[in-house]
Amino acid sequence: WHSTSDSPSGANDISYHNAATDKLLDEILEEENASRRSVLYQKLQQIIYDDYPVIFMYVPMERIIVGKNWNANASLKRPGYAVNTFEMVKIK
């Protein structure tokens, strides 16, 4: 959600930009006190909720667990993983 992550390799793939959320995200990273960090998270969530930059159609309820002898990518689409990304890791 940070505007600096709006790049082809970044996590901000919806190009969301908001100076207030950028500031809160920076503060969250620096805040060591869990209760104060929680308050910052709530402020961040409220701003994103008010801006409505994206609509989440569904959220998977399952957790995907992959053994460490496999490389795999998770996906929001069912079944929760990208089948064609599974690669066996060579164990030495």
Side-chain angles (χ1 to χ4, degrees), residues 48-66:
I48 292 172
Y49 176 83
D50 292 340
D51 283 353
Y52 223 104
V54 66
I55 298 172
F56 295 101
M57 300 302 284
Y58 59 90
V59 176
M61 300 300 289
E62 310 87 16
R63 290 185 181 255
I64 302 297
I65 299 172
V66 178

Side-chain angles (χ1 to χ4, degrees), residues 1 6-7 13 15 22-23 25 48-49 52-53 61 75 92:
W1 295 97
D6 182 13
S7 66
D13 57 355
S15 296
D22 286 350
K23 183 176 182 290
L25 286 165
I48 292 172
Y49 176 83
Y52 223 104
M61 300 300 289
S75 170
K92 296 179 183 180

Side-chain angles (χ1 to χ4, degrees), residues 28 31 33-43 45:
I28 288 167
E31 183 57 60
N33 182 288
S35 61
R36 288 195 295 257
R37 196 171 48 249
S38 178
V39 170
L40 295 172
Y41 273 122
Q42 291 172 12
K43 290 179 183 179
Q45 289 175 343

Side-chain angles (χ1 to χ4, degrees), residues 1-7 12 15-19 21-22 25:
W1 295 97
H2 201 287
S3 61
T4 59
S5 294
D6 182 13
S7 66
N12 186 359
S15 296
Y16 178 71
H17 289 245
N18 182 316
T21 58
D22 286 350
L25 286 165

